[in-house]
Amino acid sequence: MVTMETLVSLCKRRGFVFQSSEIYGGTGSCWDYGPLGVELKNKIKRVWWRDFVQQRADMVGLDASILMHPTVWKASGHVDHFTDPMVDCLECRHRFRADQLDEMPWVHFCPATKGNKFTIPAEETCPHCHERRTLCPDCGKGELTPPRQFNLMFKTFMGPVEEDAAVTYLRPETAQGIFVNFENVLQSMRRKLPFGIGQIGKAFRNEITPGNFIFRTREFEQMEIEYFVNPHDTVEGRPADEHWHDRWIEDCLAWFRRYGVQAENLRLHEHERAELAHYSKRTADLQYRFPIGWSELMGIANRTDFDLKQHAKWSGKALTYFDEERKEHVVPFVIEPSAGVDRALLAFLADAYREEEVRGEKRVVLRFHPELAPVSVAVLPLLKKRDDIVRTAHAIRDELSRHFTAVYDDTAAIGRLYRRQDEVGTPYCVTVDVQTVGDTDRGEAADGKVTIRDRDSMEQIRVEASQLVAVFGELIGGKSWAEVSARVGRS
Ligand code: GAP
């Protein structure tokens, strides 16, 4: 498994992710997506939106505002309950989440070895004095304060006056924007239950201990679905909400598998009763084996009718659905698949990373699914001194870029260019050479063909340049290299 240090370094070196405001020393836990990172992120969001919102007849989309009426957060329970227990070290002033202290390695000055300093792995006792951690895990010297509850919402003021009446919050989840628009969508789109509303957008949490690169940050993006179900319906003899909960768990798992995440790196974690959020009847997390260990990639919760009932109570508006068959108003139950875009990106990145040996040399390759790769096709001239080759390569890139993400690169020899594209996960390279354009001095006619190189097998085929759009349409659209290359012809 690749380490987080390796990924962070590759992301910076190759333009995926940069530390935010780096020239000023960086902003804690904020990251900027560079030229390749933004392509990867946009592609993840695009396929999620296409697969879960556009292609499903039972789904519609929404883009609600980040700043909402402050009462939304009273009704949702975030003002009162969206807190983490926080402790401070009285010596080094570092701050920790009280419930995560046992999951951290800890610094220890061991009395049994004349005060020698050791770093003891999480949850272990000192092998010399057999003590457990009681002091600050970072400095090993300071007492910790008793836990205090800390609200994770970012406060801000609406309008020019900074007074209590103007306080509002940056949304800590996109979900509430969907609940408060339930009635609008129901009426405007004439929906019948079950149906869902999907949304992608930024969320903000003033995390006490952000970290592990883009895994836990204070500003992040979510891809959320609220799927509304009639609680009185049954499907295959089971309550409809329970049936749809299982269906969404399967669909989410299948989605990550479809875009290449290896089965052995995905697992489900059922929340124990004590772990459940106040609104949840059942929650299952999809966990990924991140470089930091098994951790939550996304959650799929049965939020019952909690949110709609709360917003009805606080707004005074009836948020119900009229069940024509039973001639009654019902408050739908809600199944919520909720994924972090940044966490999904980290999982796709870690899963794609390979170090291979090719002819005695190390090759680093990101085996991204072709639909997710930040660059779909790189067009490379074999000789950058030949104007006609360079011109042809630019023309091919221009044509391909109308359909795919295509780049041109002539800044190194061809072997180096291939390696560079491997390292950023480009599934296909196109090379333009002398045969493509011909050589009048030698009386050789142009054959109009180019070489396509496949990232994973490193095989090459020669095809008519005029066929490239069609060939990449098939390859990026899901056909295998083996199938397409066998038909188009091996070099
Ligand atoms: N609406 C439900 C909800 O927000 P959550 O488990 O708190 O549930 C859902 O968040 C997903 O959002 C998580 O599974 C994770 O992928 C992502 N997420 C949550 N907090 C995050 C953070 N601080 N940084 C990055 N991603 C985060």
Side-chain angles (χ1 to χ4, degrees):
M1 167 59 78
V2 60
T3 64
M4 198 67 104
E5 292 72 40
T6 304
L7 288 182
V8 174
S9 150
L10 180 125
C11 280
K12 175 163 180 168
R13 202 160 23 89
R14 292 293 182 213
F16 282 88
V17 183
F18 307 125
Q19 173 75 67
S20 162
S21 317
E22 195 179 354
I23 59 168
Y24 288 103
T27 317
S29 91
C30 294
W31 299 89
D32 296 343
Y33 287 87
L36 295 193
V38 67
E39 291 294 341
L40 177 58
K41 201 176 184 207
N42 282 343
K43 286 183 180 183
I44 292 170
K45 292 190 281 186
R46 195 176 313 144
V47 294
W48 185 93
W49 191 259
R50 181 192 66 198
D51 298 346
F52 285 133
V53 179
Q54 294 176 320
Q55 290 190 346
R56 290 182 62 131
D58 57 350
M59 288 287 305
V60 290
L62 182 78
D63 184 13
S65 65
I66 287 173
L67 296 173
M68 300 174 72
H69 195 288
T71 311
V72 167
W73 307 111
K74 280 297 265 180
S76 67
H78 283 83
V79 170
D80 295 326
H81 301 298
F82 197 56
T83 56
D84 276 336
M86 173 182 80
V87 294
D88 290 305
C89 171
L90 295 173
E91 186 78 22
C92 69
R93 303 276 160 204
H94 283 182
R95 185 162 275 188
F96 307 93
R97 259 177 68 175
D99 55 338
Q100 288 179 347
L101 282 169
D102 289 340
E103 293 157 27
M104 305 171 70
W106 53 288
V107 168
H108 178 50
F109 293 93
C110 173
T113 61
K114 295 189 185 142
N116 281 346
K117 183 179 172 185
F118 298 101
T119 300
I120 317 274
E123 293 180 22
E124 290 187 17
T125 53
C126 170
H128 308 287
C129 67
H130 306 292
E131 274 181 20
R132 293 199 160 277
R133 185 202 57 76
T134 52
L135 301 173
C136 168
D138 273 4
C139 71
K141 291 180 182 156
E143 298 276 349
L144 296 174
T145 60
R148 285 166 294 149
Q149 289 301 325
F150 172 77
N151 194 295
L152 300 185
M153 281 197 296
F154 276 97
K155 254 189 201 164
T156 186
F157 298 94
M158 194 84 97
V161 189
E162 295 196 3
E163 58 185 18
D164 282 355
V167 165
T168 189
Y169 305 92
L170 302 187
R171 68 181 176 199
E173 60 173 13
T174 62
Q176 299 303 324
I178 298 181
F179 294 127
V180 301
N181 277 295
F182 170 73
E183 182 69 9
N184 286 335
V185 175
L186 188 66
Q187 296 309 333
S188 59
M189 306 306 288
R190 299 169 307 284
R191 287 281 138 177
K192 293 248 176 294
L193 292 181
F195 77 93
I197 305 177
Q199 174 166 222
I200 300 178
K202 290 258 183 181
F204 303 82
R205 296 182 189 178
N206 202 0
E207 299 278 2
I208 298 168
T209 44
N212 290 317
F213 192 31
I214 52 174
F215 180 83
R216 180 168 284 109
T217 52
R218 295 194 169 112
E219 174 181 343
F220 55 97
E221 263 183 290
Q222 290 187 313
M223 308 185 278
E224 294 203 294
I225 292 165
E226 306 303 328
Y227 196 76
F228 301 94
V229 177
N230 189 333
H232 300 147
D233 283 350
T234 54
V235 185
E236 293 157 12
R238 298 175 62 212
D241 60 312
E242 294 178 14
H243 164 86
W244 282 106
H245 198 176
D246 283 338
R247 280 284 299 274
W248 275 108
I249 292 170
E250 282 164 29
D251 288 357
C252 292
L253 199 56
W255 189 81
F256 280 100
R257 293 279 300 116
R258 173 174 169 190
Y259 292 102
V261 176
Q262 298 163 88
E264 65 266 29
N265 291 333
L266 284 172
R267 73 178 187 193
L268 278 180
H269 164 74
E270 284 285 343
H271 282 217
E272 306 268 336
R273 189 164 271 283
E275 233 184 310
L276 287 177
H278 58 281
Y279 50 73
S280 173
K281 170 173 163 183
R282 175 191 168 206
T283 297
D285 286 344
L286 195 50
Q287 293 187 331
Y288 179 74
R289 198 203 307 253
F290 286 100
I292 50 169
W294 286 103
S295 309
E296 178 185 335
L297 171 59
M298 68 173 297
I300 304 124
N302 183 340
R303 292 182 78 124
T304 67
D305 53 8
F306 175 85
D307 301 273
L308 290 179
K309 277 191 169 158
Q310 282 295 105
H311 288 301
K313 186 172 127 194
W314 283 79
S315 68
K317 305 274 186 310
L319 300 180
T320 54
Y321 170 85
F322 188 67
D323 181 341
E324 298 280 355
E325 224 173 277
R326 299 181 181 89
K327 302 286 179 231
E328 63 180 9
H329 290 276
V330 290
V331 182
F333 267 37
V334 175
I335 306 302
E336 179 194 63
S338 171
V341 180
D342 313 76
R343 251 180 230 187
L345 187 146
L346 186 59
F348 283 123
L349 193 66
D351 215 81
Y353 187 92
R354 304 278 195 292
E355 287 180 10
E356 301 170 352
E357 201 182 295
V358 177
R359 280 174 242 107
E361 274 185 31
K362 182 169 114 174
R363 167 172 104 126
V364 172
V365 56
L366 292 177
R367 288 184 179 244
F368 286 129
H369 185 282
E371 277 205 83
L372 297 186
V375 176
S376 313
V377 186
V379 184
L380 317 169
L382 196 67
L383 298 172
K384 72 169 175 182
K385 287 190 185 136
R386 284 273 304 255
D387 276 356
D388 46 356
I389 292 181
V390 169
R391 247 184 292 115
T392 305
H394 275 299
I396 289 174
R397 191 221 72 94
D398 291 349
E399 171 64 13
L400 290 176
S401 69
R402 291 196 219 162
H403 309 269
F404 318 100
T405 327
V407 298
Y408 169 92
D409 192 4
D410 66 5
T411 55
I414 193 72
R416 174 80 82 75
L417 292 178
Y418 282 153
R419 289 288 177 275
R420 241 186 238 166
Q421 294 301 329
D422 288 343
E423 207 184 3
V424 299
T426 306
Y428 308 107
C429 290
V430 166
T431 308
V432 180
D433 56 24
V434 179
Q435 285 108 292
T436 316
V437 295
D439 194 332
T440 34
D441 291 348
R442 294 181 175 199
E444 289 167 8
D447 71 1
K449 290 185 174 177
V450 292
T451 302
I452 302 179
R453 173 189 181 264
D454 172 52
R455 175 196 67 202
D456 295 345
S457 64
M458 291 184 287
E459 286 175 0
Q460 303 189 355
I461 56 173
R462 233 171 134 71
V463 303
E464 298 281 347
S466 58
Q467 284 189 341
L468 285 174
V469 171
V471 170
F472 288 130
E474 288 188 62
L475 287 169
I476 294 162
K479 291 229 167 91
S480 73
W481 170 260
E483 183 187 341
V484 175
S485 64
R487 204 185 61 244
V488 183
R490 246 167 249 271
S491 64

